[in-house]
Amino acid sequence: MKFRPLHDRIVVRRITAEEKSAGGIIIPDTAKEKPMEGEVIAAGPGARNEQGAIVALDVKAGDRVLFGKWSGTEVKLDGEELLIMKESDIMGIIEAPAASAKAA
Protein backbone atom coordinates (compact mmCIF):
# COMPACT_ATOMS: atom_id res chain seq x y z
CA MET A 1 0.00 0.00 0.00
CA LYS A 2 1.33 3.42 -0.94
CA PHE A 3 -0.55 5.48 1.64
CA ARG A 4 0.91 7.38 4.57
CA PRO A 5 -1.50 9.01 7.04
CA LEU A 6 -0.76 12.53 8.23
CA HIS A 7 -0.65 14.01 11.73
CA ASP A 8 -2.56 11.91 14.30
CA ARG A 9 -4.48 9.78 11.80
CA ILE A 10 -4.21 6.01 11.54
CA VAL A 11 -5.29 3.37 9.00
CA VAL A 12 -7.16 0.39 10.47
CA ARG A 13 -8.26 -2.93 8.93
CA ARG A 14 -11.39 -4.35 10.56
CA ILE A 15 -11.03 -7.82 12.07
CA THR A 16 -14.01 -9.91 11.03
CA ALA A 17 -16.20 -11.47 13.67
CA GLU A 18 -17.06 -15.16 13.87
CA GLU A 19 -19.82 -16.54 11.66
CA LYS A 20 -21.48 -18.42 14.57
CA SER A 21 -22.81 -17.32 17.93
CA ALA A 22 -21.65 -18.95 21.16
CA GLY A 23 -24.66 -21.30 20.98
CA GLY A 24 -23.74 -22.47 17.47
CA ILE A 25 -26.33 -20.39 15.58
CA ILE A 26 -25.06 -19.18 12.20
CA ILE A 27 -25.48 -15.42 11.84
CA PRO A 28 -26.45 -14.18 8.33
CA ASP A 29 -24.59 -11.23 6.78
CA THR A 30 -27.66 -8.98 7.01
CA ALA A 31 -27.87 -9.40 10.80
CA LYS A 32 -24.18 -8.88 11.54
CA GLU A 33 -22.87 -5.70 13.06
CA LYS A 34 -19.62 -4.24 11.81
CA PRO A 35 -16.76 -5.27 14.05
CA MET A 36 -15.37 -2.64 16.41
CA GLU A 37 -11.98 -4.32 16.57
CA GLY A 38 -9.18 -3.85 14.08
CA GLU A 39 -5.50 -3.96 13.30
CA VAL A 40 -3.47 -0.78 12.76
CA ILE A 41 -1.94 -0.86 9.28
CA ALA A 42 -0.20 2.54 9.31
CA ALA A 43 0.06 5.53 11.65
CA GLY A 44 1.01 9.15 11.12
CA PRO A 45 3.92 10.84 12.91
CA GLY A 46 1.72 12.51 15.55
CA ALA A 47 -0.05 15.76 16.34
CA ARG A 48 1.58 19.07 17.21
CA ASN A 49 1.15 20.49 20.70
CA GLU A 50 0.74 24.18 21.55
CA GLN A 51 4.51 24.73 21.45
CA GLY A 52 4.73 23.26 17.93
CA ALA A 53 6.52 20.06 18.91
CA ILE A 54 5.27 16.75 17.50
CA VAL A 55 3.73 14.44 20.11
CA ALA A 56 4.15 10.81 19.03
CA LEU A 57 1.15 8.49 18.83
CA ASP A 58 0.54 5.71 21.37
CA VAL A 59 -0.41 3.20 18.65
CA LYS A 60 1.82 1.66 16.00
CA ALA A 61 1.40 -0.63 13.01
CA GLY A 62 0.44 -4.14 14.09
CA ASP A 63 -1.50 -3.12 17.24
CA ARG A 64 -5.00 -4.58 17.75
CA VAL A 65 -7.34 -1.78 18.76
CA LEU A 66 -10.93 -1.25 19.86
CA PHE A 67 -12.78 1.72 18.38
CA GLY A 68 -16.27 3.22 18.36
CA LYS A 69 -19.00 1.80 16.15
CA TRP A 70 -19.27 4.92 13.99
CA SER A 71 -15.60 5.94 14.13
CA GLY A 72 -13.49 6.77 11.14
CA THR A 73 -14.02 7.16 7.41
CA GLU A 74 -14.32 4.06 5.26
CA VAL A 75 -12.06 4.04 2.19
CA LYS A 76 -11.07 1.46 -0.39
CA LEU A 77 -7.31 1.23 -1.01
CA ASP A 78 -5.86 -1.41 -3.34
CA GLY A 79 -9.27 -3.15 -3.37
CA GLU A 80 -9.35 -3.48 0.43
CA GLU A 81 -11.90 -1.84 2.76
CA LEU A 82 -10.02 0.19 5.39
CA LEU A 83 -10.82 2.86 7.97
CA ILE A 84 -8.98 6.15 8.45
CA MET A 85 -9.50 7.67 11.88
CA LYS A 86 -7.88 9.94 14.42
CA GLU A 87 -6.06 8.42 17.36
CA SER A 88 -8.66 9.95 19.69
CA ASP A 89 -11.34 7.67 18.13
CA ILE A 90 -9.54 4.63 19.53
CA MET A 91 -10.78 3.41 22.91
CA GLY A 92 -7.80 1.19 23.66
CA ILE A 93 -5.17 -1.29 22.55
CA ILE A 94 -5.94 -4.99 22.99
CA GLU A 95 -2.97 -6.63 24.63
CA ALA A 96 -2.09 -10.22 23.71
CA PRO A 97 -2.20 -12.55 26.71
CA ALA A 98 1.23 -13.35 28.08
CA ALA A 99 2.48 -16.81 27.20
CA SER A 100 2.22 -18.88 30.35
CA ALA A 101 4.91 -21.37 31.13
CA LYS A 102 3.64 -24.94 31.21
CA ALA A 103 4.59 -27.11 34.13
CA ALA A 104 6.38 -30.31 33.14
Side-chain angles (χ1 to χ4, degrees), residues 10-57:
I10 60 168
V11 179
V12 176
R13 177 187 302 127
R14 287 186 194 266
I15 297 174
T16 56
E18 287 191 36
E19 302 289 323
K20 291 184 183 179
S21 70
I25 299 172
I26 297 175
I27 303 167
D29 289 338
T30 55
K32 288 183 192 170
E33 289 189 16
K34 291 187 176 181
M36 297 185 307
E37 186 178 327
E39 178 185 2
V40 176
I41 303 300
R48 293 194 181 269
N49 62 13
E50 294 169 359
Q51 290 77 29
I54 293 178
V55 178
L57 301 179

Side-chain angles (χ1 to χ4, degrees), residues 71-92:
S71 298
T73 303
E74 293 182 359
V75 296
K76 194 172 221 176
L77 294 172
D78 295 334
E80 185 177 13
E81 297 278 337
L82 300 171
L83 285 169
I84 298 176
M85 64 181 71
K86 289 187 166 251
E87 186 187 33
S88 60
D89 290 339
I90 294 176
M91 292 184 229

